[in-house]
Amino acid sequence: MTTTIPPDGAGKKPVRAEPGPEPIPDPHGPFGRVVTAPGDPATRASSAWVTWLLLMVPLCIAELRELSEPEIERLAGRATDLITSHGDDAQFGGHHQRRARTAIAQGLAVLARADGGVTTLGIHACVRPHLACPGDSPAHPILPTRNDHNA
């Protein structure tokens, strides 16, 4: 004697699948929000450094979006090691200047993922809205995005 088990859903009417909720748009976009930040002039980087960070940190934030959490942790560990070993090269020049500066931008991109983001060296970087964000001030207006014209 052979027993046949009917497949799941046998004898039932097909049910129309309802679409899931629309994904919540990311208000800071793929590059996060990176702006100049008011602060103590003694801890502020030179204007050239600030300009460079305003370019590189958003790019590093975008790169992090493609990585898994373990990969981000490994990247953060390598950046920490490079900064502690060659951080002086980043500021004063040297054989490891390019790698050290990139490691600083990557480290800031990782820290931008924390609640409230990160504010240092004359910039503020964050990937989510939060209270008292320097990017919300009138000095840093939110520019319209491609989708704002539909509102």
Side-chain angles (χ1 to χ4, degrees), residues 102-116:
T102 301
I104 291 170
Q106 289 172 333
L108 293 175
V110 170
L111 292 172
R113 301 171 73 236
D115 290 336

Side-chain angles (χ1 to χ4, degrees), residues 33-52:
R33 177 179 282 173
V34 182
V35 297
T36 57
D40 182 9
T43 60
R44 188 176 185 86
S46 70
S47 64
W49 247 105
V50 170
T51 301
W52 187 84

